[in-house]
Amino acid sequence: MNAFKTGTLAIALAAGSVLAGTALANPIISASTTGPTFAVLNLGTAVTAGWQNSTTITNPGFANIASITFAGGTPNASGVYGGSVMHVATTPFPAGTPGGSMANYLVAQQNGGTVTVTFKSPETSILLEWGTADVAAGYNVITGGGNTINGAMILAAAGLPSSDSGKTNFAVDITGLNPFTSLTFSDTTKLSAFEFDIGQASVPEPGSLALMAMGLAGLGWMVRRRRAKSSV
């Protein structure tokens, strides 16, 4: 994983929080051009590329999300999109160079479009598949709980130059944020959209958990056997 010096980035973000009059946070951003290694919210698969719907998503049973709502965007509405349509939306999958995936994802469209993700309880971290991060002001911005994260921070975290703006998708892990119960994803420009999907740490399969339990049990048996022998 390509990673920026997280200490430097954390100090800069914390300073910004102080200037804004918010509680001091120490967020750490990790951005990778491979993956993601975490699960993403399954929004279905598009048959035809482009806008799919702007229907509120309620209790998807994923990543502690209570709801996802869409607002604004012109000439294209914010909502769920699939595939890629030039000058409308580009798939955030996979990390790295955008591919031909038709998996659906979330989009805050240009000219003030927003996607608001509300959580059931306070969070201090977020996993994201972030589409084509841009460095220009207003292009892709996340706010909530006194936190502000933008595309320039993602490129910096990946150690990539600003010349890569708008070209690369990232698997992003952000920790150490001020507690938040909602995040708003927005794009205020006339030329861009903010494409993304929410992630969740992968849960081991039941078979993997069973094997782990068997291994730990076997290790415990070996330790007890060695202790019994040493006491003889």
Side-chain angles (χ1 to χ4, degrees), residues 68-158:
I68 301 175
T69 57
F70 308 96
T74 180
N76 305 296
S78 299
V80 175
Y81 283 69
S84 298
V85 178
M86 188 175 293
H87 305 308
V88 176
T90 301
T91 178
F93 306 114
T97 303
S101 173
M102 291 296 286
N104 290 339
Y105 51 94
L106 306 169
V107 179
Q109 279 290 0
Q110 70 267 45
N111 292 308
T114 63
V115 177
T116 300
V117 182
T118 302
F119 299 87
K120 296 178 181 179
S121 57
E123 300 282 342
T124 57
S125 63
I126 186 81
L127 291 169
L128 297 167
E129 183 69 8
W130 187 308
T132 57
D134 293 280
V135 300
Y139 266 60
N140 27 85
V141 180
I142 305 173
T143 55
N147 304 290
T148 299
I149 305 294
N150 58 41
M153 295 174 181
I154 303 306
L155 282 167

Side-chain angles (χ1 to χ4, degrees), residues 48-219:
T48 302
W51 178 86
Q52 305 299 307
N53 66 77
S54 298
T55 304
T56 295
I57 299 169
T58 305
N59 294 321
F62 186 87
N64 197 35
I65 296 171
S67 66
I68 301 175
T69 57
F70 308 96
T74 180
N76 305 296
S78 299
V80 175
Y81 283 69
S84 298
V85 178
M86 188 175 293
H87 305 308
V88 176
T90 301
T91 178
F93 306 114
T97 303
S101 173
M102 291 296 286
N104 290 339
Y105 51 94
L106 306 169
V107 179
Q109 279 290 0
Q110 70 267 45
N111 292 308
T114 63
V115 177
T116 300
V117 182
T118 302
F119 299 87
K120 296 178 181 179
S121 57
E123 300 282 342
T124 57
S125 63
I126 186 81
L127 291 169
L128 297 167
E129 183 69 8
W130 187 308
T132 57
D134 293 280
V135 300
Y139 266 60
N140 27 85
V141 180
I142 305 173
T143 55
N147 304 290
T148 299
I149 305 294
N150 58 41
M153 295 174 181
I154 303 306
L155 282 167
L160 295 178
S162 59
S163 58
D164 280 2
S165 176
K167 300 177 182 178
T168 307
N169 295 336
F170 296 94
V172 177
D173 184 355
I174 307 173
T175 60
L177 293 164
N178 289 314
F180 57 86
T181 53
S182 70
L183 292 175
T184 297
F185 299 73
S186 64
D187 192 295
T188 59
T189 71
K190 298 179 180 180
L191 302 173
S192 180
F194 188 173
E195 305 97 339
F196 67 98
D197 200 1
I198 305 293
Q200 174 179 274
S202 297
V203 177
E205 294 293 331
S208 299
L209 290 173
L211 287 173
M212 184 183 298
M214 289 174 63
L216 291 172
L219 181 61

